[in-house]
Amino acid sequence: MSKRVLTTESGAPVADNQNSASAGAGGPLLLQDQHLLEKLARFNRERIPERVVHARGSGAYGHFEVTDDVTGFTHADFLSEIGKRTEVFLRFSTVADSLGGADAVRDPRGFAVKFYTEEGNYDLVGNNTPVFFIKDPIKFPDFIHSQKRDPFTGRQEPDNVWDFWAHAPEATHQVTWLMGDRGIPASYRHMNGYGSHTYQWTNAQGEAFFVKYHFKTNQGIRCLSSEQAAETVGRDANSHQTDLLQAIERGVHPSWTLYVQLMPAAEAADYRFNPFDLTKVWPHTDYPLQRVGRLVLDRNPDNVFAEVEQAAFSPNNFVPGIGPSPDKMLQGRLFAYADAHRYRLGVNHTLLAVNAPKAVPGGARNYGRDGLMAVNGQGRGAKNYEPNSYDGPAETGRPLSAPLPVSGHTGTHEAPLHTKDDDFVQAGDLYRLMSEEERSRLVANIAGGLSQVSRDDVIEKNLAHFHAADPEYGRRVEAAVRALRED
């Protein structure tokens, strides 16, 4: 059986792929060797800009199956009947480190799900924690700069990390999560996922509900201590990727059960916490978990670059029955995520297979044209404006979700305070839920980082946050930091 012929990018056969063309056997190379120049030029361009955050990622395909009736809360078609299945792609990631970073590190994990629904793609972009460090997107670039490699030393600096947190008391809740036992998952399969933000569901009657998503792992929660994580990184820096790939390849398909918390929209204004504050949870005693369905991953990507690196998730990709809330961080991400993909991948990134809506054969139907890598097949006289008289795609007049009421004057505003709003009560609640062993590990993890800070005033500001969350919490962290600094 003859081998397939190697070709150039233009399809011409390659005569010699082992030796460059030269001026004589020992002479300099020739500019006319198009095959050599093409290979080197393409190699130089193999890498696209990596994500500023969530650069290190893994992903897999699967399906979501509805197990419970939620039609009283949303008219989203993919949730319309028990037993209905929707194809999904899920990308896991670490947040702070670069593409070449290790998996088993103390860092939040991204948990981004793309539902290929019959009404378009729905992207649910969340983390493995139900809260985050900040509540306003204007602080996001500063926060990430404080956590990334320092521009002078080229490494993550405790001074930067803890100085930002010292000036962001709202981060105390997430810091308590991050420094606790769930700060380093043993694998992507053994952690929960959360939508984290507050979203809106709208039913067929136009009634609006605010919703939070909880994906509970069916493999059970498993985490690593700092010592176990260091050993794991030394053994296999790609430990989470290895685990996910091998599990699916051997037929062990990880799964999560999706639950939601639902709040009637009319209750939001008077709720004791600001329900749109990303640094806070809704206690389950107030809004119990309601089961929705089961998510299963059963197929690995064929090409990690094409399908994981180029996967583009945007929280503004909604479908009828689901929409945004006044969550400030969500509002900022509605722009920032899509714009990041336009920068990294180009304006036509939704034409890539992993991002293309399966609901619309041939790609999205709109009037966007041209741009880098434009291949949309909308030629032969198709008009590129709307409205038109040539049967082009037209609007439906049906909003995806219920309108949000607004009032007041334009300007920069702090979020309105609810009766139980402060930056520390939920961090203290989380601390008091922990066992004595969990508290000891939490204190040790915080002290290990905070004790490395060079400025006493930064240390004191952070200690004040832990004291405010819980007096015992503060005393133990303070004592542990003092002991480490005296050694």
Side-chain angles (χ1 to χ4, degrees):
M1 182 177 178
S2 60
K3 291 185 177 180
R4 293 183 299 161
V5 173
L6 178 68
T7 74
T8 64
E9 296 287 342
S10 63
V14 174
D16 190 341
N17 195 43
Q18 315 306 317
N19 303 287
S20 302
S22 60
L29 302 186
L30 299 177
L31 187 64
Q32 72 183 42
D33 189 347
Q34 180 59 27
H35 181 50
L36 168 66
L37 300 186
E38 185 178 80
K39 284 187 71 175
L40 294 180
R42 183 179 182 87
F43 180 75
N44 285 344
R45 293 161 175 81
E46 279 188 359
R47 295 295 174 262
I48 60 176
E50 72 172 40
R51 292 168 169 87
V52 177
V53 289
H54 297 278
R56 172 66 187 159
S58 303
Y61 294 94
H63 65 268
F64 176 79
E65 182 175 352
V66 178
T67 58
D68 294 77
D69 182 11
V70 291
T71 55
F73 307 105
T74 177
H75 64 88
D77 182 72
F78 78 103
L79 300 175
S80 61
E81 58 183 296
I82 293 174
K84 185 157 190 173
R85 283 193 175 191
T86 300
E87 184 181 352
V88 302
F89 182 76
L90 200 161
R91 185 179 187 270
F92 306 95
S93 56
T94 54
V95 175
D97 213 342
S98 61
L99 184 59
D103 286 343
V105 293
R106 188 171 298 280
D107 198 19
R109 301 300 190 277
F111 192 98
V113 188
K114 186 180 295 291
F115 297 85
Y116 298 101
T117 87
E118 295 172 12
E119 297 180 300
N121 289 354
Y122 173 44
D123 290 351
L124 183 57
V125 183
N127 287 322
N128 71 325
T129 60
V131 293
F132 196 60
F133 298 93
I134 55 176
K135 63 181 77 172
D136 193 303
I138 204 166
K139 300 177 73 169
F140 188 75
D142 299 296
F143 164 63
I144 294 300
H145 287 166
S146 75
Q147 309 297 302
K148 299 285 267 186
R149 296 176 185 269
D150 182 88
F152 174 66
T153 66
R155 64 183 188 181
Q156 189 182 57
E157 289 293 343
D159 274 358
N160 301 349
V161 171
W162 289 95
D163 186 40
F164 182 89
W165 288 342
H167 292 88
E170 70 269 27
T172 308
H173 192 186
Q174 174 74 324
V175 169
T176 304
W177 270 88
L178 179 63
M179 296 300 173
D181 281 0
R182 294 195 184 186
I184 313 178
S187 80
Y188 288 132
R189 295 184 297 130
H190 294 92
M191 69 180 197
N192 292 341
Y194 301 89
S196 301
H197 294 289
T198 300
Y199 296 90
Q200 186 205 85
W201 277 7
T202 309
N203 65 18
Q205 291 72 44
E207 297 173 302
F209 301 84
F210 292 120
V211 60
K212 283 186 175 289
Y213 295 87
H214 303 249
F215 290 87
K216 300 288 189 178
T217 176
N218 294 321
Q219 290 70 238
I221 296 287
R222 283 184 52 207
C223 303
L224 301 176
S225 67
S226 297
E227 295 75 20
Q228 290 170 325
E231 180 182 344
T232 298
V233 169
R235 186 173 62 249
D236 180 7
N238 306 303
S239 57
H240 289 27
Q241 164 69 13
T242 301
D243 176 84
L244 182 66
L245 174 74
Q246 293 182 351
I248 294 175
E249 286 298 291
R250 67 177 185 267
V252 178
H253 298 154
S255 67
W256 289 259
T257 300
L258 172 61
Y259 298 87
V260 293
Q261 291 177 284
L262 291 161
M263 174 190 293
E267 297 181 12
D270 296 322
Y271 185 50
R272 57 195 175 115
F273 304 112
N274 179 355
F276 311 117
D277 181 347
L278 185 56
T279 69
K280 293 183 174 62
V281 299
W282 300 354
H284 294 181
T285 51
D286 294 346
Y287 296 99
L289 296 179
Q290 302 186 46
R291 193 176 65 176
V292 180
R294 180 181 175 89
L295 186 153
V296 179
L297 299 180
D298 56 17
R299 179 166 68 89
N300 283 310
D302 294 325
N303 184 300
V304 171
F305 175 78
E307 299 164 83
V308 179
E309 259 307 284
Q310 295 193 118
F313 297 85
S314 300
N316 60 356
N317 287 343
F318 293 114
V319 293
I322 303 178
S325 79
D327 179 334
K328 285 188 175 184
M329 284 296 295
L330 173 60
Q331 292 283 324
R333 284 172 167 157
L334 295 179
F335 163 76
Y337 275 59
D339 192 56
H341 303 315
R342 285 188 285 266
Y343 162 67
R344 293 183 62 247
L345 305 171
V347 72
N348 288 301
H349 64 271
T350 56
L351 299 177
L352 297 169
V354 70
N355 300 321
K358 300 182 185 300
V360 189
R365 290 192 293 263
N366 57 41
Y367 295 92
R369 293 290 188 275
D370 306 334
L372 191 66
M373 299 296 291
V375 185
N376 56 24
Q378 298 183 49
R380 302 287 297 179
K383 304 306 178 186
N384 64 342
Y385 58 88
E386 195 280 333
N388 63 62
S389 304
Y390 296 86
D391 295 324
E395 63 196 17
T396 68
R398 298 189 299 272
L400 300 187
S401 57
L404 296 171
V406 295
S407 64
H409 301 282
T410 60
T412 57
H413 303 282
E414 292 186 6
L417 287 177
H418 291 232
T419 56
K420 295 287 184 70
D421 269 345
D422 72 28
D423 293 323
F424 309 110
V425 63
Q426 291 198 354
D429 290 342
L430 179 58
Y431 175 80
R432 289 183 288 275
L433 283 173
M434 296 179 180
S435 67
E436 174 54 33
E437 292 77 13
E438 290 173 317
R439 293 182 189 183
S440 296
R441 289 188 291 268
L442 168 67
V443 168
N445 291 332
I446 293 174
L450 189 54
S451 63
Q452 299 178 55
V453 174
S454 61
R455 289 182 49 162
D456 290 343
D457 61 323
V458 173
I459 293 175
E460 291 302 320
K461 286 179 182 177
N462 279 285
L463 290 175
H465 297 168
F466 302 121
H467 280 288
D470 183 274
E472 179 195 285
Y473 189 7
R475 286 195 301 271
R476 293 179 65 169
V477 172
E478 183 173 2
V481 169
R482 184 184 303 111
L484 288 172
R485 287 171 66 81
E486 290 173 352
D487 283 348

